[in-house]
Amino acid sequence: MPPKTWRNMYGNVEVFNQLEGQQTSYIQNPESADYDIYEEESIYEPIHGLEVTNKRTHHERTPRVSVLNSTRRNKARILLVTLAALLTISLLLIFLLLGLGFVKYSALIAELQEITSENGFLRSYASSTFQIFNEAHNKCAEVRDSRYITAVPCDTNSTGQQFQWLPGGRLLSMATRRCVGAPKKASKLPVYLYPCSEHSELQRWECPNDTLLALRGAELYFNYGNTPLMLVILYTRTGPWSRWVIHGTHNSVCSWSCEGSSPCQRGWAFFQGHCYYFSHSADSWGSASQWCLSQASVLVTIDSKEEQAYIAEATRTRFFWLGLTDQRSEGSWQWMDGTALSGTRYWAENEPNGLQQENCGSTRGDSGAWQDVSCLEKIQWICEKKV
């Protein structure tokens, strides 16, 4: 054994050895309390592992939420783009419709201006209205079905029987605002109504004599033939079926044409330096007088045998007012201008005979002679004015 002093000096070696032995036993003894505590801690490893797993799961889920949010943002972006596209398309459609509407509106305005211009043209250059009358059959031409023309009993109130001359020898139907024409220059073809054209030779008419109405430049006449449909046709014959005058007169249909050399306005007839208007409607003596005054004329004054013959021939089947009255003083007949009736008179036999009940003068349809009639009767009238 070493000396005591050596042992004291190195006593700490024993302690060290003891401690070393304890440390060794701690490492080698699996049943020590400290190891049990370690084992106890190891029991909770699954919990710690679970926590880690949960943390991992949380970290793993975070990208999924981001992806979901990104998907939602993409959908919202797509929706906004779609809405923007729809809005753009809607605006384009609106502008397109507005453009089409403007074009249509401009076309309507142009059409209205054209119609207004045409109406002004007609008022300035068209003749007065008249009826085309066939004396042999006592019928007037009338538009039927907006296309054809036939002959029916005359009716002054029928728009379908009213015609008007336009420049260029064109006949206008007042009922349809179309012109009388033919499909071609051939006999036995119906006369039709077409949109008026200045350039159509098949819409131009002329009168070879006082009672014929023919397609210009052709021996084809306006004819009310004995056809199954009873239509007006073009025909080469010039018999009674082809003879027409202005209803209420014996004047040629072309006498009111816009292209004659007459110094009178359209619709007025010229005779010995005067213009005469033979009305187609009927009214009282006072109203007829006012109408003539509105046309810068007066009810006719007859002051010569020639004039009486002209008036009698022109009014041979109708009664017409004259500018003759004794309303101021019974039995004292005078003309519109106040001139007393004197000289040659053309009263029919036993006329005037109405005393105070009949104070206005008119022609008689059978002879053209004069008679007195109640001023309230409604008959046709004759206006007169100097050229």
Side-chain angles (χ1 to χ4, degrees):
M1 288 186 67
K4 183 178 180 181
T5 54
W6 181 85
R7 295 180 55 188
N8 288 338
M9 185 179 300
Y10 299 100
N12 55 350
V13 175
E14 183 178 354
V15 175
F16 175 75
N17 291 334
Q18 291 178 357
L19 290 174
E20 188 178 6
Q22 291 179 358
Q23 185 175 4
T24 305
S25 62
Y26 169 78
I27 296 173
Q28 295 178 352
N29 187 9
E31 295 180 358
S32 66
D34 290 339
Y35 188 81
D36 290 339
I37 293 173
Y38 178 79
E39 288 291 326
E40 197 173 353
E41 289 180 355
S42 67
I43 295 175
Y44 294 99
E45 282 187 2
I47 297 176
H48 295 313
L50 179 62
E51 289 177 357
V52 173
T53 304
N54 288 339
K55 289 180 181 180
R56 289 178 181 175
T57 304
H58 174 72
H59 290 300
E60 290 175 355
R61 286 177 181 176
T62 302
R64 295 181 183 176
V65 173
S66 300
V67 170
L68 181 60
N69 291 336
S70 177
T71 303
R72 288 177 179 175
R73 284 194 297 271
N74 289 337
K75 289 183 177 179
R77 189 177 297 109
I78 293 171
L79 180 60
L80 288 175
V81 171
T82 304
L83 290 176
L86 290 175
L87 180 60
T88 303
I89 293 172
S90 300
L91 289 174
L92 289 175
L93 288 175
I94 290 172
F95 286 126
L96 178 61
L97 291 175
L98 287 174
L100 292 175
F102 179 76
V103 171
K104 189 173 183 180
Y105 173 76
S106 300
L108 287 174
I109 292 296
E111 185 178 354
L112 287 175
Q113 290 175 344
E114 183 178 353
I115 291 172
T116 302
S117 176
E118 180 184 357
N119 288 338
F121 173 81
L122 292 179
R123 284 194 299 269
S124 301
Y125 297 100
S127 74
S128 299
T129 58
F130 57 89
Q131 292 168 279
I132 302 175
F133 178 58
N134 185 287
E135 293 183 293
H137 299 281
N138 193 29
K139 291 185 177 181
C140 286
E142 181 175 274
V143 173
R144 288 288 177 88
D145 300 325
S146 301
R147 186 181 182 187
Y148 302 102
I149 298 177
T150 185
V152 299
C154 297
D155 179 3
T156 57
N157 295 318
S158 172
T159 307
Q161 295 183 18
Q162 301 296 325
F163 294 87
Q164 195 174 39
W165 279 109
L166 297 182
R170 294 172 294 160
L171 272 174
L172 176 73
S173 163
M174 299 302 292
T176 63
R177 308 302 295 178
R178 291 179 167 229
C179 284
V180 180
K184 61 180 180 179
K185 293 183 179 181
S187 183
K188 298 183 181 180
L189 290 179
V191 168
Y192 293 118
L193 293 164
Y194 299 93
C196 296
S197 171
E198 293 184 70
H199 309 292
S200 175
E201 293 299 323
L202 296 174
Q203 294 182 17
R204 299 183 182 276
W205 300 86
E206 61 184 357
C207 299
N209 62 22
D210 290 339
T211 57
L212 293 175
L213 179 61
L215 199 62
R216 182 176 292 182
E219 294 182 355
L220 296 169
Y221 305 101
F222 195 86
N223 178 279
Y224 174 52
N226 187 17
T227 62
L229 297 177
M230 307 302 284
L231 301 177
V232 171
I233 62 173
L234 293 176
Y235 197 51
T236 55
R237 301 292 180 86
T238 59
W241 297 88
S242 297
R243 297 191 173 273
W244 307 83
V245 295
I246 291 177
H247 181 245
T249 76
H250 293 288
N251 297 331
S252 163
V253 174
C254 292
S255 65
W256 287 20
S257 172
C258 301
E259 298 180 341
S261 59
S262 170
C264 302
Q265 69 190 85
R266 290 165 295 279
W268 292 64
F270 177 74
F271 179 76
Q272 292 187 344
H274 290 76
C275 295
Y276 297 86
Y277 176 80
F278 299 85
S279 78
H280 307 290
S281 56
D283 215 328
S284 65
W285 189 90
S287 295
S289 176
Q290 290 298 317
W291 193 93
C292 291
L293 290 174
S294 72
Q295 302 297 312
S297 62
V298 294
L299 285 173
V300 64
T301 296
I302 297 176
D303 50 18
S304 71
K305 184 183 296 184
E306 291 78 16
E307 187 176 20
Q308 169 60 22
Y310 171 72
I311 296 297
E313 177 64 20
T315 62
R316 189 161 53 88
T317 58
R318 296 288 184 273
F319 291 6
F320 284 80
W321 286 123
L322 304 172
L324 193 61
T325 180
D326 69 346
Q327 293 181 91
R328 294 183 181 178
S329 177
E330 175 60 32
S332 299
W333 291 88
Q334 61 184 18
W335 297 105
M336 288 287 296
D337 61 0
T339 304
L341 177 62
S342 61
T344 304
R345 304 180 181 200
Y346 302 97
W347 292 109
E349 187 176 356
N350 299 323
E351 296 286 353
N353 59 12
L355 301 177
Q356 295 182 355
Q357 285 74 41
E358 298 178 347
N359 299 116
C360 293
S362 77
T363 64
R364 287 178 54 161
D366 53 353
S367 63
W370 306 348
Q371 64 179 358
D372 58 342
V373 183
S374 168
C375 297
L376 299 178
E377 288 285 337
K378 291 187 176 183
I379 60 176
Q380 293 167 258
W381 65 88
I382 308 167
C383 298
E384 177 187 13
K385 59 183 175 183
K386 289 184 179 181
V387 173

